[in-house]
Each structure stands twice: as structure tokens, then as C-alpha cells.
Amino acid sequence: MTGAGARRKEVKKTVITSLLSRFAAAPHVVWSVLFIVVPLIFVAYYAFTDRNFAFTMENFSAFFTPKYMQILGRSVKLAVIATLVCLLIGYPAAYYIARANAKRQKILIMLIMLPMWMNFLIRTYAWMVILQDTGIFNSVIGAIGLGPLKLMYTEGAVVLGMVYDYLPYMIMPIYSVMVKLDPRLVEAAYDLGCNPAQVVRKVVIPQSIPGVVSGIMMVFVPSISTFYISQKLGGGNFYLIGDAIETQVYTANNLHMAAAISLVLMVILLAGMFVMNRFSDDSAGGGLIP
């Protein structure tokens, strides 16, 4: 009797724990359904219908034309460049922060996140002031006789804006992985005769792959879909896929075409996330998508 009573008590405890876990997860599930699943359903519905809400594939036929393929190619190119620059800057920065003492880590993280407290538009306008022909940068180099440079309304200015705005999204995931690395692995590598470069290449980099994959996607996704940076720093000279979506919504008033472009872009990004997730799984046992 005692054994049976203990088993019943254990089963009851397990059931209660399971119910509490489901109850605790309910707000997250409701939030996901209302603000992720339902909007995606509406996007798909608009993408496959015309202005009269009749089923059509014309929106996708209009997208897969040389005009939009050129826009998509330009968007991918600038997003890849911005992501690579963020990786080249963010990886050493994350490594340095992770190796600093606790007090310095807090200060450095605060300095990285501080610009994010300002409005996105203000940060972009600040770079316009810095890069324009009569801006701070050209005034400084003009004072030393190097003359003004054409900085605004170039692809470089657009990439610079992307890197500045999205660099923290690269640093933080990599830092969050590096700070958890077992220091005994590094000590063991040194004991086995590795020099600092070999330690980084053979121990640190393989262990930090999940953070790198997450950082790449967190930078690439907003970079490829941005439109405000290209408008202000590019002067409208570099029409990106985000600009195309905005034009369809606010100028052409064609939500169906905008939804089709958004759906294609989302499929491309999900495919990229799947590939990167598999790469992360194979390389370091981490993952981007649970």
C-alpha cells in the first residue's frame, strides 16, 4: 500500500507539473499565434490574390522579372557586405569583451548598447550630418588639405549605416557564447603546445560557431530588408527590396504585390536560416532554430 500510494503521489505530482508548465507557456503560445501566425496567414492570402481578392499568381510573375531580380541582387550584395564587415569587427570585439574582467565587461556591453537607446531615425540622421559634403568628416580632412570626398549617396554610405545600426546584433550573440566557454579547454590547448593563434583557430572559433551563425542571421535579415538607410544615406540611388515593398504599400497602394514580395523574401530568409542552422549543428552542436 505504501508503495502504491507513493506511485500515485508521484504520478499526481507529474501531472500537476505538466499542467503548470503548459499554463506558463500559454501566454507565449497566444502571443505567437496572434502576432506571428495570423499576420503570416494574411500576408500569404494577400500574396495569392489580386485587388478583387481573386486567386492569382500574377504577383509572383511580376516579381520574377529582370527589374525585381536586379533589386533583389543589389539588396543581397549590400546585406552580405554589411554582414561580413560586422563579423570582421564584431568577432574580435566579442572575444575581447568575453576575456575582460566582469566589471569591464559590463562597461563595454553598456557602451555597445548605448547607441541602441537612441531612435533609429536619429542615428541615421547623425550619419548624414557626418558624411555630407559640408559635414564633420569632410571639414576635418579639408582642414588638412585632403579635400572633400564624395561620401553621401554612395553604396559605401549605405553599408556604413547598416554596419553601425546592426553591429550590436553581431557582437552580442557571439559574446554570449564566448563568455560561457570553458577556460579549461584553452588551458589544455596551451598545455599541449598551441600558440595563441592556434588556440583561437582550434578551440575558440569552433566553440563559438553557434553565436556566429546567430549573429550573421540577426544582421543579414534586417540588412536585406532595410529601406530607410538606403533612402537617407543612399539618396534613393540604390533601390533595395525594402524600398520596393514600401513603394507598393504607400505609393502604388498595392498590398497584394507588397505581400508577394514579402513572402518571397521570407522564404529566401527561412531557407538561409535552415542552411545556417544545419551548418551550426554539424559544426558545434548548436542551433539557430530549435
Side-chain angles (χ1 to χ4, degrees):
M1 294 296 293
T2 303
R7 285 194 295 271
R8 286 196 298 269
K9 186 177 180 180
E10 185 66 25
V11 170
K12 183 178 180 181
K13 182 179 179 180
T14 303
V15 171
I16 294 175
T17 303
S18 176
L19 292 175
L20 289 176
S21 299
R22 293 183 180 182
F23 179 78
H28 172 72
V29 173
V30 173
W31 177 275
S32 299
V33 170
L34 290 179
F35 297 103
I36 298 178
V37 177
V38 173
L40 289 179
I41 293 174
F42 274 102
V43 169
Y45 175 70
Y46 272 80
F48 287 99
T49 56
D50 57 19
R51 293 178 183 270
N52 297 319
F53 293 97
F55 177 81
T56 182
M57 296 294 292
E58 291 182 0
N59 297 321
F60 297 97
S61 300
F63 177 76
F64 289 103
T65 57
K67 172 186 174 182
Y68 282 104
M69 291 300 98
Q70 183 180 8
I71 296 172
L72 180 61
R74 185 186 303 119
S75 302
V76 172
K77 181 187 73 172
L78 295 183
V80 168
I81 294 173
T83 303
L84 290 177
V85 174
C86 285
L87 180 60
L88 291 175
I89 298 174
Y91 195 93
Y95 180 73
Y96 176 79
I97 297 172
R99 289 178 60 87
N101 59 57
K103 182 178 180 180
R104 180 172 295 182
Q105 284 186 23
K106 294 179 181 179
I107 296 175
L108 293 174
I109 292 298
M110 183 192 69
L111 291 177
I112 291 173
M113 299 304 299
L114 190 61
M116 305 298 292
W117 297 353
M118 292 186 294
N119 186 273
F120 179 82
L121 306 182
I122 296 176
R123 300 201 304 271
T124 305
Y125 269 110
W127 276 109
M128 293 176 63
V129 174
I130 295 173
L131 298 178
Q132 63 185 352
D133 294 340
T134 58
I136 298 173
F137 186 83
N138 273 319
S139 298
V140 172
I141 65 174
I144 59 178
L146 296 180
L149 300 176
K150 180 62 176 178
L151 301 176
M152 280 290 291
Y153 311 136
T154 62
E155 285 190 349
V158 176
V159 171
L160 177 61
M162 293 178 181
V163 171
Y164 175 75
D165 283 310
Y166 305 132
L167 181 59
Y169 300 145
M170 179 66 74
I171 295 177
M172 295 310 298
I174 300 176
Y175 160 77
S176 65
V177 172
M178 284 188 172
V179 78
K180 298 175 184 177
L181 294 181
D182 191 344
R184 292 175 297 181
L185 296 175
V186 176
E187 295 175 0
Y190 280 120
D191 292 339
L192 293 173
C194 290
N195 57 43
Q198 290 174 325
V199 170
V200 172
R201 181 169 57 88
K202 296 183 177 181
V203 178
V204 177
I205 291 179
Q207 295 294 318
S208 62
I209 288 298
V212 172
V213 172
S214 297
I216 288 174
M217 295 310 303
M218 290 180 68
V219 172
F220 182 78
V221 170
S223 294
I224 195 175
S225 58
T226 187
F227 62 92
Y228 189 79
I229 295 175
S230 60
Q231 290 176 1
K232 296 304 179 182
L233 298 182
N237 298 326
F238 306 99
Y239 199 71
L240 303 183
I241 199 70
D243 299 307
I245 296 173
E246 186 201 26
T247 299
Q248 292 297 328
V249 173
Y250 295 106
T251 303
N253 194 27
N254 188 351
L255 296 179
H256 303 272
M257 185 62 188
I261 300 174
S262 301
L263 189 61
V264 172
L265 183 60
M266 182 175 60
V267 171
I268 294 173
L269 294 175
L270 288 176
M273 292 174 67
F274 176 77
V275 172
M276 295 296 287
N277 187 68
R278 292 295 299 270
F279 174 76
S280 175
D281 287 341
D282 294 340
S283 299
L288 183 66
I289 305 175

